[in-house]
């Protein structure tokens, strides 16, 4: 007899064995199903719960693109409100040629009355060329539309209204925001303003030079935000789908102390004068004698910031970045110190020889002479090196060094213009015996044209040097105007000393009875004070002072009896043989003449009294 559940002679399982195996498989299958359900449920919880925000953002990112809305850049104006730089909106037309072709071919297939993609592109090209006139050729538009590019720009930047006319008629053409920077005055004041350009990377105007660069953050404002639909599988914006999420906040407007009309006149006069003198370069500064405000700051070379390409010539601002040895204009330090300390009076007679030895150096005057009885006023009026060094020796090295720094040399003025140089003054501890043979006559130290003008501003302003400034005020996006505070003044000498030196400097422009070195600076009807300067440049071949290459300088005040303006001028290496190469005094005359007319400065009540330069 055969039992159930046992194997038969043929090797087959019994019915009991088959039932047990089936039950085991069923349990395993149920376990796997439960495990799969648990895993699926866990994944669902993660997707719908913990990962929902990230996944939603990722999905949105595939459908949308977030972009910045560039803030309107602030403007620059001069002291009278004349606009020197401003931004305007423009638009750049663009297309997605491959997408346009696919969509139009699909539309034509569904409705044969619709034009083919080729026909449609030609229609668009004709319309754009007609709207833009001579600013773009129809062939150029066709070339863009028939390219195989996924994205291409069309034509130049155009006005927003014109772009809207085109995109409303042909929504397949998109428009991108652009900002352009405009400079109505062109080269006028460009060395101060600098320049700004559209940055494709930043998608906004960025300052590149001058104040546009150093004040970029203030001018730029705060960008807004916008979102736009993007084509499937790409980051290309679908034209017409942009939406604003957060508005942009405009940048601040900046008011400068410059007088754009005066700046134009000074810049052109300076450039013309430098050319006639054959000078390598030239600079000019006009300061308000009481506030230190810069009314004009000019270089002989400039550039047009509206030009598509800049420089390299004329891009810098040498008036504040390039120091030079000033020569005799520096003699005002010795004069002020000697008067202040009671060592000299204007009428003090000095027996001045033709040369003087200081340590191992012998210094001579610019003209040959034996011992002559010059008044201290005459030492300035005739620009005697020897007489100046005699007075400097009475003043002493330490006192002279103290005055050098009070006059602002060896330190930046803080005007706020990029790249400003402090010039150079040898540290007191490094002076040798012959150092004091150079410094009082303006050799062995250097300054910028701005620093030179600032020195004379101190004399014109009763002995108080007010650091020059070129930024007057700023107006924020809320429309509130905030004036920049006037810098605190530095007392250099007392008022009586300053007035005495100012009066002595009238001898420089005197013609009769005894002539000064700057008679061509004289202006009929006005008392003028000033100082000429000639400084030898270093000859690179011998590393010594050249006898043929000079810096020519002039610093003066108008009018001397009640100073309103101070003018500083410098010519770098003028060629000999031309009248303009010998002195900057005639240029001062022309600028002073313009100042008196423009600002209606009253005539001096009396002519300048005759100064005694040399006693008989």
């Amino acid at each position: 007899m055969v039992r159930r559940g046992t194997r038969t002679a043929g090797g087959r399982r019994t019915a009991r064995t088959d039932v047990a195996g089936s039950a085991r498989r069923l349990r395993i299958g149920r376990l796997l199903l439960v495990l799969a359900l648990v895993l699926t449920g866990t994944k669902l919880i993660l997707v719908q719960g913990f990962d929902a925000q990230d996944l939603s953002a990722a999905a949105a990112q595939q459908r949308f693109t977030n972009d910045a809305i560039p803030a309107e850049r602030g403007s620059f104006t001069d002291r009278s409100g004349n606009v020197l730089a401003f931004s305007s909106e423009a638009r750049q037309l663009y297309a997605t040629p491959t997408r346009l072709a696919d969509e139009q071919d699909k539309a034509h297939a569904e409705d044969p009355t619709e034009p083919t993609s080729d026909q449609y592109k030609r229609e668009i090209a004709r319309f754009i060329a007609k709207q833009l006139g001579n600013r773009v050729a129809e062939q150029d538009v066709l070339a863009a539309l028939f390219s195989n590019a996924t994205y291409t720009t069309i034509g130049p930047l155009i006005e927003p209204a014109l772009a809207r006319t085109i995109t409303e008629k042909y929504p397949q053409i998109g428009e991108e925001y652009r900002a352009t920077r405009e400079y109505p005055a062109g080269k006028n004041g460009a060395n101060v303003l600098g320049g700004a350009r559209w940055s494709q990377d930043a998608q906004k105007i960025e300052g590149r030079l001058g104040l546009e660069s150093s004040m970029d953050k203030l001018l730029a404002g705060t960008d807004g935000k916008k979102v736009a639909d993007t084509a499937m599988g790409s980051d290309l914006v679908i034209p017409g789908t942009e939406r604003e999420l957060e508005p942009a906040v405009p940048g601040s407007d900046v008011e400068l102390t410059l007088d754009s009309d005066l700046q134009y006149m000074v810049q052109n006069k300076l450039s013309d004068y430098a050319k006639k003198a054959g000078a390598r370069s030239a600079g000019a500064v006009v300061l308000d004698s009481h506030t230190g405000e810069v009314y004009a700051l000019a270089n002989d070379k400039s550039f047009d910031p509206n030009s598509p390409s800049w420089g390299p010539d004329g891009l810098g601002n040498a008036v504040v970045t390039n120091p030079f040895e000033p020569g005799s204009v520096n003699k005002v330090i010795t004069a002020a110190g000697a008067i202040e300390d009671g060592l000299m009076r204007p009428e003090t007679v000095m027996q001045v020889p033709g040369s003087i030895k200081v340590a191992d150096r012998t210094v001579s005057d610019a003209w040959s002479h034996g011992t002559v009885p010059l008044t201290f006023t005459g030492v300035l009026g005739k620009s005697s090196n020897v007489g100046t060094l005699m007075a400097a020796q009475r003043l002493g090295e330490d006192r002279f060094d103290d005055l050098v720094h009070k006059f602002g040399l060896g330190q930046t003025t803080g005007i706020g213009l990029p790249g400003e140089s402090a010039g150079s003054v040898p540290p007191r501890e490094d002076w040798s015996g012959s150092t004091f043979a150079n410094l009082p006559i303006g050799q062995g130290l250097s300054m910028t044209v701005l620093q030179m003008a600032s020195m004379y501003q101190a004399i014109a302003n009763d002995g108080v040097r007010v650091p020059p400034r070129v930024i007057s005020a700023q107006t924020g996006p809320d429309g509130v105007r905030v004036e920049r505070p006037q810098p605190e003044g530095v007392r250099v000498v007392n008022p009586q000393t300053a007035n005495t030196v100012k009066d002595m400097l009238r001898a420089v422009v005197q013609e009769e009875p005894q002539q000064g070195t700057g008679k061509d600076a004289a202006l009929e009807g006005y008392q003028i004070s000033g100082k000429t300067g000639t400084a030898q440049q270093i000859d690179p071949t011998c590393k010594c002072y050249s006898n043929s290459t000079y810096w020519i300088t002039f610093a003066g005040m108008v009018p001397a009896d009640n100073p309103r303006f101070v003018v500083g001028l410098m010519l770098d290496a003028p060629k000999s043989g031309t009248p303009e190469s010998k002195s900057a005094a005639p240029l001062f005359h022309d600028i002073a003449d313009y100042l008196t007319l423009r600002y209606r400065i009253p005539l001096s009540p009396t002519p300048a009294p005759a100064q005694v330069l040399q006693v008989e």
Side-chain angles (χ1 to χ4, degrees):
M1 179 182 231
V2 179
R3 296 180 179 179
R4 291 185 180 182
T6 62
R7 192 179 295 274
T8 63
R12 289 174 297 174
R13 290 183 180 277
T14 64
R16 183 179 297 173
T17 303
D18 291 339
V19 171
S22 296
R24 191 182 306 112
R25 288 192 295 273
L26 182 60
R27 285 194 299 273
I28 293 172
R30 286 175 178 172
L31 182 60
L32 292 174
L33 180 60
V34 170
L35 183 60
L37 289 172
V38 169
L39 292 174
T40 302
T42 302
K43 184 65 176 177
L44 188 60
I45 291 171
L46 290 173
V47 169
Q48 294 186 342
F50 298 105
D51 295 340
Q53 188 173 357
D54 292 340
L55 291 171
S56 178
Q61 189 65 34
Q62 294 176 2
R63 301 192 306 271
F64 308 115
T65 180
N66 291 298
D67 284 317
I69 302 175
E72 182 180 354
R73 190 174 181 85
S75 64
F76 280 108
T77 59
D78 77 349
R79 64 185 307 108
S80 299
N82 298 310
V83 178
L84 302 177
F86 68 94
S87 293
S88 60
E89 285 193 26
R91 295 293 185 268
Q92 175 65 69
L93 297 178
Y94 73 91
T96 54
T98 54
R99 180 183 176 81
L100 187 155
D102 291 343
E103 290 181 350
Q104 193 59 34
D105 285 340
K106 181 179 179 181
H108 176 73
E110 293 174 355
D111 182 359
T113 61
E114 289 287 325
T116 65
S117 61
D118 285 3
Q119 292 170 334
Y120 196 53
K121 289 178 179 179
R122 295 183 188 281
E123 179 184 325
I124 293 173
R126 281 194 299 272
F127 185 77
I128 291 177
K130 181 178 179 181
Q131 293 297 316
L132 269 60
N134 60 6
R135 287 189 280 179
V136 68
E138 184 176 337
Q139 272 312 113
D140 293 336
V141 182
L142 284 171
L145 294 177
F146 276 92
S147 69
N148 292 322
T150 54
Y151 168 90
T152 184
T153 58
I154 301 173
L157 298 181
I158 59 175
E159 304 81 40
L162 181 55
R164 189 162 53 250
T165 299
I166 295 170
T167 57
E168 285 179 352
K169 184 171 180 63
Y170 295 101
Q172 297 85 349
I173 301 300
E175 57 177 283
E176 290 181 340
Y177 171 90
R178 291 285 190 275
T180 59
R181 196 64 168 166
E182 308 291 339
Y183 300 89
K187 292 183 177 182
N188 189 28
N191 300 101
V192 176
L193 293 172
R197 283 277 198 263
W198 174 265
S199 169
Q200 189 64 31
D201 292 336
Q203 287 292 292
K204 63 189 299 182
I205 292 284
E206 289 186 339
R208 304 291 176 83
L209 300 168
L211 288 176
E212 289 275 28
S213 175
S214 63
M215 303 187 74
D216 188 66
K217 188 174 181 180
L218 179 70
L219 294 162
T222 304
D223 291 346
K225 296 179 181 178
K226 66 179 178 178
V227 66
D229 297 341
T230 54
M232 185 65 68
S234 77
D235 58 356
L236 294 177
V237 172
I238 298 174
T241 63
E242 294 89 355
R243 284 99 66 195
E244 184 181 278
L245 296 180
E246 186 177 314
V249 179
S252 295
D253 297 329
V254 178
E255 178 185 317
L256 302 181
T257 62
L258 297 179
D259 174 346
S260 57
D261 288 342
L262 174 65
Q263 175 75 27
Y264 178 82
M265 177 269 176
V266 171
Q267 197 164 307
N268 282 276
K269 283 279 186 182
L270 179 70
S271 179
D272 182 62
Y273 201 88
K275 288 177 182 176
K276 291 179 179 178
R280 188 159 45 204
S281 64
V285 173
V286 179
L287 299 179
D288 184 294
S289 62
H290 301 298
T291 67
E293 291 178 332
V294 178
Y295 275 59
L297 192 152
N299 299 274
D300 67 307
K301 299 178 183 66
S302 188
F303 72 104
D304 186 355
N306 293 306
S307 175
S309 59
W310 296 334
D313 293 336
L315 293 184
N317 193 5
V319 170
V320 298
T321 63
N322 293 11
F324 59 93
E325 296 194 16
S328 294
V329 292
N330 205 51
K331 291 173 181 175
V332 71
I333 297 177
T334 298
I339 294 293
E340 174 94 346
D341 292 359
L343 304 173
M344 294 283 186
R345 294 180 58 82
E347 65 274 14
T348 299
V349 177
M350 304 173 65
Q351 299 297 326
V352 180
S355 64
I356 186 173
K357 189 169 184 180
V358 180
D360 60 346
R361 285 203 59 197
T362 299
V363 180
S364 302
D365 280 332
W367 76 102
S368 298
H369 64 83
T371 299
V372 292
L374 297 179
T375 63
F376 193 38
T377 296
V379 168
L380 277 183
K382 288 185 172 292
S383 200
S384 170
N385 294 332
V386 176
T388 300
L389 290 175
M390 291 169 64
Q393 289 175 340
R394 294 190 192 183
L395 183 64
E397 297 180 355
D398 290 338
R399 177 67 171 133
F400 180 86
D401 183 60
D402 175 60
L403 283 170
V404 163
H405 293 94
K406 283 184 176 180
F407 271 106
L409 304 185
Q411 55 194 293
T412 57
T413 67
I415 192 174
L417 293 173
E420 184 187 6
S421 171
S424 65
V425 176
R428 178 68 183 86
E429 59 272 19
D430 293 343
W431 289 16
S432 65
S434 60
T435 301
F436 208 46
N438 286 333
L439 301 184
I441 60 174
Q443 301 265 200
L445 79 171
S446 66
M447 64 183 71
T448 63
V449 182
L450 182 63
Q451 288 174 310
M452 181 179 72
S454 184
M455 290 173 60
Y456 280 76
Q457 179 272 325
I459 298 298
N461 189 40
D462 294 332
V464 176
R465 177 175 59 84
V466 181
R469 59 180 177 139
V470 74
I471 300 167
S472 177
Q474 62 192 57
T475 302
D478 55 1
V480 177
R481 182 178 182 274
V482 179
E483 289 194 16
R484 289 284 181 97
Q486 180 173 304
E488 186 176 348
V490 177
R491 170 64 67 184
V492 181
V493 292
N494 66 50
Q496 184 176 353
T497 295
N499 287 327
T500 299
V501 172
K502 177 187 65 182
D503 291 343
M504 291 169 65
L505 289 170
R506 292 182 302 193
V508 173
V509 302
Q510 177 176 286
E511 185 169 9
E512 294 179 349
Q514 296 173 334
Q515 184 174 297
T517 58
K519 67 179 182 64
D520 291 331
L523 181 62
E524 187 175 357
Y526 293 91
Q527 294 188 23
I528 299 295
S529 289
K531 185 72 189 78
T532 56
T534 303
Q536 295 171 290
Q537 296 193 18
I538 296 294
D539 185 337
T541 58
C542 66
K543 307 296 182 184
C544 59
Y545 281 114
S546 170
N547 290 319
S548 59
T549 308
Y550 302 89
W551 285 289
I552 301 296
T553 53
F554 190 93
M557 311 162 206
V558 56
D561 48 301
N562 185 21
R564 175 73 189 280
F565 293 105
V566 171
V567 180
L569 303 169
M570 184 276 293
L571 301 174
D572 179 9
K575 296 177 182 177
S576 60
T578 62
E580 291 79 7
S581 69
K582 302 184 187 315
S583 173
L587 179 58
F588 173 87
H589 168 275
D590 292 347
I591 294 174
D593 187 35
Y594 182 87
L595 286 168
T596 59
L597 293 172
R598 177 163 179 76
Y599 289 96
R600 299 179 181 179
I601 298 175
L603 294 169
S604 297
T606 59
Q611 306 267 12
V612 177
L613 308 186
Q614 181 176 336
V615 297
E616 298 300 331

